[in-house]
């Protein structure tokens, strides 16, 4: 199974995401933002970083990169896509996920190990977990506050599209403690915390993040 990792100018967690994919048992495939070639991958990860220096708005320029046009088309056909941190911002800017990520409410960059609760265990990227399961994954963001209009928040809650929620303290002021959301079909997930930094005991606070990457293998096989 081949999972593409998109690199934008300013990406800094693409190598970490590729390692997580490899540890999960898949083949990571390097994808360049300026190409129009997904290289036949089965799924795509948009990694963390500061694409285009986060000028204009975080993720706004990257969302209009040539390769993102192909990602949007394939995602709407059911290809699994995971956006991590800056990748989550890109997915919102590209219209694949609702809401937006804004400056942290306390106006500081936050970097810490964070407890999370899995709210949806039936998406393409969370099926390795149980509903209500708590995990520990690092967060590191300055513009990680998830916001949406009140009616949109009610719709997300009503449709069960909050995939992951912060517990034990909200690191950035995200409305309703939302750490990640999913598309209507559960194939696209955006996540502000960094599961790729919690895949090995040697380097992370846990190996809890690996489940995001093993989940998609099952999703692709069963599609």
């Amino acid at each position: 199974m081949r999972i593409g990792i998109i690199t934008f100018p300013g990406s800094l967690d693409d190598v970490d995401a590729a390692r997580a994919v490899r540890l999960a048992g898949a083949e990571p495939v390097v994808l360049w933002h300026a190409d129009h070639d997904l290289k036949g991958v089965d799924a795509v990860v948009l990694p963390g970083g500061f694409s285009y220096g986060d000028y204009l708005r975080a993720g706004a320029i990257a969302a209009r990169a040539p390769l993102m046009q192909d990602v949007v088309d394939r995602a709407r056909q059911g290809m699994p896509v995971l956006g991590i941190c800056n990748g989550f911002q890109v997915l919102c800017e590209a219209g694949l996920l609702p809401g937006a990520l804004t400056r942290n409410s306390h106006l500081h960059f936050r970097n810490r190990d964070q407890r999370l609760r899995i709210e949806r265990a039936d998406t393409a990227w969370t099926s390795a977990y149980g509903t209500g399961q708590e995990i520990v994954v690092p967060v590191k963001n300055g513009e990680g506050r998830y916001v949406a209009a009140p009616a949109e928040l009610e719709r997300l809650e009503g449709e069960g599209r909050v995939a992951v929620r912060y517990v034990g303290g909200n690191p950035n002021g995200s409305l309703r403690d939302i750490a990640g959301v999913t598309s209507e079909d559960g194939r696209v997930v955006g996540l502000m915390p960094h599961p790729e930094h919690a895949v090995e005991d040697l380097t992370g606070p846990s190996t809890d993040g690996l489940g995001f990457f093993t989940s998609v293998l099952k999703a692709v096989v069963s599609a």
Side-chain angles (χ1 to χ4, degrees), residues 9-27:
S11 293
L12 57 83
D13 292 313
D14 44 350
V15 174
D16 303 82
R19 181 167 181 78
V21 165
R22 192 176 296 109
L23 288 171
E27 175 190 353

Side-chain angles (χ1 to χ4, degrees), residues 43-126:
V44 165
V45 174
L46 280 65
F50 303 90
S51 57
Y52 291 92
D54 279 348
Y55 294 114
L56 185 59
R57 272 188 323 274
I61 300 175
R64 288 148 184 81
L67 191 61
M68 280 304 299
Q69 299 172 30
D70 302 290
V71 170
V72 169
D73 290 343
R74 287 287 308 281
R76 288 175 175 160
Q77 296 169 19
M79 181 182 71
V81 179
L82 175 65
I84 302 170
C85 196
N86 189 226
F88 187 7
Q89 296 163 338
V90 174
L91 292 179
C92 290
E93 291 286 347
L96 285 175
L97 291 175
L101 286 306
T102 63
R103 186 73 176 161
N104 292 351
S105 59
H106 44 68
L107 304 181
H108 297 287
F109 190 91
R110 185 66 78 233
N111 183 0
R112 74 186 192 195
D113 297 334
Q114 176 68 44
R115 279 200 301 138
L116 306 171
R117 184 172 63 242
I118 303 296
E119 303 280 35
R120 279 281 302 271
D122 60 348
T123 77
W125 298 93
T126 59

Side-chain angles (χ1 to χ4, degrees), residues 155-168:
R155 185 172 72 88
L156 289 173
E157 296 279 13
E159 295 176 357
R161 290 176 57 190
V162 177
V164 185
R165 213 180 296 267
Y166 298 114
V167 293

Side-chain angles (χ1 to χ4, degrees), residues 1-5 21 26-29 41 43-45 125 213 216-217:
M1 190 167 302
R2 306 171 77 243
I3 299 180
I5 314 293
V21 165
E27 175 190 353
V29 178
V41 297
V44 165
V45 174
W125 298 93
F213 302 95
V216 74
L217 307 188

